[in-house]
Amino acid sequence: MKELLDQLIALAVEKVPLLGQAPDWVFYLLWMLVAGAALLVYASLIAGITSWVERRIAGRMQARIGPNRVGPRGFFQWIADGLKSLFKEDVTPANADKPLFRLAPYLVFTGMFGAWAVLPYSARLYAADLNVGILYVMAITSLVVIGILMGGWASGNKWGLFGALRSSAQIVSYEVPAGLAIATAVALSGSLSLQEMVRAQAGPLGILGWNIFKSPFALVAFFVYFIAAVAEGNRTPFDLPEAESELVAGYNTEYSGMRFVFFFFAEWANLFLIGAVSTTLFLGGWQGPLANPDTWWGVMIGAGWFFLKACFFVFVLIWIRWTLPRLRVDQLMAMCWKYLVPIAFVCLIGTMLWMSVFGDRAFFGLVAVGP
Amino acid sequence: MLLDYIPVLALMAAAAGLALAFTLMSELLGPKRRSAEKQMPFECGNPSSGNPKRRFSVKFYPLAVLFLLLDIEAVFLYPWATIYRELSQGKGWMMLFGFAEMGLFIALLALALFYAWKKGALEWD
């Protein structure tokens, strides 16, 4: 990236001599904004296309066709929907807390997309490799809770309030097992940086070094993390915050037009995010069955693996959503505190013991891994 | 170090900018036909009754306290988990030290969870 940047700067200075007098940080800032915008376009494309994919799969699962009018097989449906909502009225209820009501979608949107900056798309393909990467992901996605609570409360609507309260209770509860399961993965990889975590999962056949195969406890921790992530994303079977049969639409009942779109955009962006983080933590990120060569096409192959693995999770999430019925609130809380949290504790302690006994051996302690 | 965060800030600025641009566009392009009925809170067609900003169930508070109890652990757990790989490769006492210290901490946490469970803090009804 650095060489490309230098070449671009040299070209720009050559074409516009006036730029030569500008200090370096101007170029750096401009480049960062361009990179940020590019990443945002990538994220938006994935979120938009996921919405179409989900509707098509949902249609097939319910023995109907799904959107098929706009473009080939309805592929441009998501663009049409986006354009349509641009021309819709943005209603603010009379007794809403107006500043908070308007601010909430921005928090949800930026919180969700902020996490995309640290995802390890491939060996050398990332926007930022923070040394506290996974903590950053957990921290920035909690902006979403604040946004949801803010939006639901500020709507001045009872459905909105109930939805927001349920959502925050749910997200806050499932943060605990998720945090413990992530700590398990962190211990196995020995780093908080997402790139380092992926690198630590290299192993024979490219698969045996994955964190899920490092100990049986890690395999369970992976499922704990995945269930908690589904719950934190407010997806069925944990979609009580927007349970349409009882709460109309939950926290976004009063939202309309573009602001409504942002909530859903963030939800679809979250699908890929869940997949990407699960992949990074437990399934070897951009590691494929063969070691990726250290060239630009090796990086692209890695990016392909990462994308495929994350998309697999997106499909699983959609599949779960259209298969399982919704839980009750008390079942939801019992599931978290009485099952997932104790299991996550056992996973953490068990993995620690396993690491002490088997050291760095992969595939359940059967295969020796060289550094 | 701090420079690592500039791409993050740039992405978030771009995201906020995009969101702002789209809401502004919809502000310009969308119709504005306000009416008292349209701006009423939606309660399935009935006129709104009661104050929506009422006090809510106490059930949510013990949950928040429990979350604080178990999520503060992250502050202690994550640094330990990060270096645990080296600790577990250590010889003799070092290995035991790395495990026992935090094992005790996690046992205390689990005990606290068990206590809350027996006290009925995890029951939702």
Side-chain angles (χ1 to χ4, degrees):
Chain A
M1 285 309 226
K2 190 77 178 69
E3 305 91 76
L4 184 67
L5 173 59
D6 288 339
Q7 281 171 18
L8 276 176
I9 290 178
L11 188 73
V13 171
E14 192 188 302
K15 296 284 176 212
V16 191
L18 197 69
L19 277 178
Q21 293 153 13
D24 278 354
W25 61 266
V26 174
F27 293 110
Y28 192 64
L29 204 70
L30 273 177
W31 171 245
M32 282 305 156
L33 273 178
V34 170
L39 191 55
L40 192 69
V41 168
Y42 176 69
S44 312
L45 273 178
I46 285 186
I49 293 171
T50 308
S51 81
W52 169 75
V53 169
E54 168 148 29
R55 292 175 66 186
R56 288 294 291 188
I57 294 178
R60 291 290 157 167
M61 286 192 178
Q62 296 173 336
R64 55 188 174 85
I65 296 169
N68 67 343
R69 290 288 147 176
V70 194
R73 290 170 188 274
F75 179 76
F76 296 116
Q77 185 66 44
W78 59 283
I79 298 176
D81 286 343
L83 279 178
K84 184 187 73 176
S85 30
L86 261 185
F87 293 94
K88 291 289 175 191
E89 184 172 359
D90 190 2
V91 182
T92 311
N95 65 347
D97 189 320
K98 287 189 183 59
L100 291 188
F101 183 81
R102 285 170 185 217
L103 185 63
Y106 296 128
L107 284 186
V108 174
F109 190 77
T110 35
M112 196 54 80
F113 281 97
W116 287 62
V118 296
L119 293 183
Y121 299 100
S122 190
R124 274 178 291 170
L125 193 64
Y126 54 84
D129 182 23
L130 305 183
N131 52 4
V132 292
I134 189 65
L135 276 184
Y136 166 79
V137 171
M138 289 169 75
I140 201 77
T141 44
S142 16
L143 264 185
V144 176
V145 199
I146 300 174
I148 286 176
L149 194 58
M150 194 185 263
W153 182 82
S155 300
N157 180 309
K158 289 172 200 113
W159 305 128
L161 180 67
F162 294 156
L165 279 176
R166 277 188 187 181
S167 176
S168 49
Q170 176 178 329
I171 296 177
V172 146
S173 296
Y174 279 87
E175 192 75 39
V176 174
L180 288 170
I182 290 174
T184 310
V186 167
L188 284 167
S189 318
S191 174
L192 290 169
S193 145
L194 293 174
Q195 281 288 344
E196 282 302 317
M197 290 180 90
V198 174
R199 242 172 253 133
Q201 295 180 55
L205 291 178
I207 294 178
L208 302 182
W210 292 1
N211 275 342
I212 48 165
F213 296 131
K214 288 226 172 115
S215 86
F217 298 102
L219 187 61
V220 179
F222 162 68
F223 285 103
V224 170
Y225 172 74
F226 189 66
I227 294 171
V230 176
E232 283 186 67
N234 292 334
R235 295 279 297 181
T236 327
F238 308 105
D239 69 335
L240 287 141
E242 42 194 286
E244 62 269 22
S245 51
E246 38 179 322
L247 287 186
V248 183
Y251 54 84
N252 53 32
T253 304
E254 290 292 356
Y255 281 94
S256 53
M258 221 50 218
R259 281 173 220 278
F260 173 80
V261 171
F262 288 140
F263 279 111
F264 273 83
F265 218 54
E267 192 181 317
W268 279 307
N270 188 33
L271 290 191
F272 190 84
L273 189 67
I274 293 174
V277 174
S278 311
T279 307
T280 310
L281 291 178
F282 293 100
L283 293 175
W286 38 259
Q287 310 267 15
L290 301 167
N292 300 325
D294 194 26
T295 50
W296 69 266
W297 49 274
V299 169
M300 287 335 277
I301 293 173
W305 279 116
F306 184 80
F307 185 75
L308 270 183
K309 290 179 195 175
C311 283
F312 168 72
F313 281 109
V314 171
F315 173 72
V316 171
L317 282 163
I318 294 172
W319 183 14
I320 290 174
R321 174 165 182 192
W322 298 99
T323 309
L324 295 177
R326 187 179 298 135
L327 271 74
R328 280 202 319 263
V329 180
D330 59 323
Q331 290 170 333
L332 180 89
M333 290 301 160
M335 168 98 180
C336 174
W337 292 103
K338 294 184 185 171
Y339 294 94
L340 288 186
V341 174
I343 292 173
F345 269 125
V346 172
C347 286
L348 185 62
I349 291 283
T351 305
M352 299 305 172
L353 276 175
W354 190 276
M355 283 172 74
S356 299
V357 176
F358 289 98
D360 230 6
R361 296 173 74 82
F363 202 63
F364 306 122
L366 294 174
V367 182
V369 185
Chain B
M1 266 296 284
L2 272 179
L3 275 182
D4 288 347
Y5 287 85
I6 290 180
V8 174
L9 280 181
L11 179 73
M12 287 178 64
L18 183 86
L20 212 63
F22 270 99
T23 33
L24 274 179
M25 263 160 80
S26 107
E27 198 83 7
L28 289 174
L29 296 170
K32 281 182 243 349
R33 287 186 285 271
R34 304 271 146 85
S35 70
E37 283 79 19
K38 196 189 265 177
Q39 288 181 292
M40 255 166 50
F42 178 77
E43 283 180 24
C44 310
N46 292 334
S48 176
S49 65
N51 182 11
K53 286 176 187 163
R54 56 167 78 187
R55 291 189 289 173
F56 43 84
S57 171
V58 74
K59 284 184 289 197
F60 292 101
Y61 293 97
L63 206 68
V65 174
L66 264 180
F67 165 71
L68 281 184
L69 164 76
L70 286 165
D71 214 53
I72 298 294
E73 111 253 42
V75 180
F76 302 110
L77 267 183
Y78 278 84
W80 168 68
T82 313
I83 58 161
Y84 187 76
R85 208 166 150 175
E86 283 139 58
L87 284 180
S88 71
Q89 316 276 303
K91 291 279 172 283
W93 280 112
M94 205 53 204
M95 196 172 100
L96 196 68
F97 175 74
F99 182 76
E101 288 280 306
M102 280 321 262
L104 195 67
F105 176 70
I106 294 171
L108 279 175
L109 267 177
L111 197 69
L113 181 71
F114 185 70
Y115 175 75
W117 192 336
K118 284 296 148 202
K119 276 280 173 188
L122 306 186
E123 307 301 325
W124 192 253
D125 315 296

